[in-house]
Amino acid sequence: MDYVLSLLSDPNAWAAFAALTAMEIVLGIDNLVFISILSNKLPEEKRALARRVGISAALILRLFLLGTIAFIIGLTEPVITVMEHSLSWRDIILIAGGVFLLWKATKEIHHIIDPDPEPEQSGAAVAAISFSAVVVQILLLDIVFSIDSIITAVGMTPHLPIMIVAVVAAVTVMLLAATPLANFIERNPTIVMLALAFLLMIGGTLIVEGFGVHVPKGYIYAAMAFSAGVEALNMFAKNA
């Protein structure tokens, strides 16, 4: 109790909480875009449930990983050397997640440009298969983004309570923003292509990060903000 009270009265703890919460929200944007695109492929009545499942899983994963910080830190130790690059389990997970994002975004772009004819199946069967596939894909990316998120948190503050509250606050913001973002993407089809391009960029970034090439996050989000601004101008001009 004294430990918690000391944190509450410590300005440095509050500053760390604010910085970590902001960082977790920014890191969660990638995950949120992916969840929005995938959930919009489901029947309308299933979308909100898929988003809640995906974001709730992200929260559970991150809280679980916070409880195993020693294990998470151990993931940064080299375990294999590939082409003279020492890779840790974290690196391997980032590379695998990046490859998955590249594959998924490329597949979605190809489907938009050249849609395949859907085989005739009952609506219930298609919905069930799609929902299962969407949830599994969301969970896979949750693992990648959660590990990166927790390692970032560990690097920003040594206090576990601050990490836990910051993660809960960030995921709560994701939960509140998920439906408006998904609806906005659905109402503006051109945004889907832009979001998929973001996922391609993020996937490539995860791969090079896994191989030890640090890409400042500010560059990534500045590029995303610039592209989104240009798209917003296009939408404004089209509706003017």
Side-chain angles (χ1 to χ4, degrees):
M1 186 65 179
D2 291 339
Y3 173 64
V4 174
L5 290 176
S6 67
L7 287 179
L8 291 175
S9 60
D10 184 1
N12 292 326
W14 283 100
F17 166 73
L20 183 55
T21 301
M23 180 62 69
E24 291 292 328
I25 291 172
V26 170
L27 291 175
I29 291 173
D30 309 340
N31 204 2
L32 199 54
V33 170
F34 184 77
I35 290 173
S36 298
I37 291 175
L38 282 182
S39 64
N40 281 349
K41 294 172 69 67
L42 293 171
E44 188 171 352
E45 65 275 10
K46 298 283 187 179
R47 294 174 185 174
L49 177 60
R51 289 191 288 268
R52 286 196 296 268
V53 169
I55 296 173
S56 299
L59 175 59
I60 293 170
L61 274 171
R62 293 178 192 192
L63 292 179
F64 171 76
L65 293 173
L66 281 172
T68 58
I69 286 180
F71 171 73
I72 295 300
I73 296 301
L75 291 178
T76 60
E77 296 297 322
V79 294
I80 190 174
T81 300
V82 178
M83 299 170 56
E84 300 183 354
H85 290 281
S86 296
L87 302 179
S88 65
W89 280 114
R90 171 184 176 269
D91 297 331
I92 294 171
I93 291 171
L94 287 180
I95 292 169
V99 170
F100 175 73
L101 267 184
L102 289 180
W103 169 78
K104 184 61 183 176
T106 302
K107 181 180 177 181
E108 292 298 324
I109 290 173
H110 182 267
H111 179 71
I112 291 173
I113 295 174
D114 185 21
D116 296 324
E118 295 290 338
E120 292 187 5
Q121 299 184 44
S122 68
V126 172
I129 294 171
S130 298
F131 185 82
S132 302
V134 165
V135 169
V136 169
Q137 292 176 68
I138 289 174
L139 291 177
L140 288 175
L141 260 294
D142 276 344
I143 293 172
V144 176
F145 288 123
S146 293
I147 289 177
D148 204 32
S149 167
I150 296 308
I151 290 176
T152 300
V154 171
M156 292 185 67
T157 178
H159 303 295
L160 183 59
I162 292 177
M163 295 183 208
I164 292 175
V165 177
V167 165
V168 171
V171 173
T172 300
V173 171
M174 286 175 59
L175 190 60
L176 294 174
T179 296
L181 177 61
N183 291 340
F184 178 75
I185 289 175
E186 184 184 17
R187 289 195 305 268
N188 301 276
T190 57
I191 294 293
V192 176
M193 188 64 75
L194 182 62
L196 290 172
F198 288 164
L199 292 181
L200 285 175
M201 180 171 62
I202 293 164
T205 303
L206 289 176
I207 292 173
V208 298
E209 289 268 5
F211 280 104
V213 179
H214 177 63
V215 180
K217 291 293 191 293
Y219 293 162
I220 302 298
Y221 293 115
M224 292 173 66
F226 177 78
S227 302
V230 171
E231 182 62 25
L233 290 175
N234 284 333
M235 292 170 59
F236 179 78
K238 185 184 299 183
N239 296 326

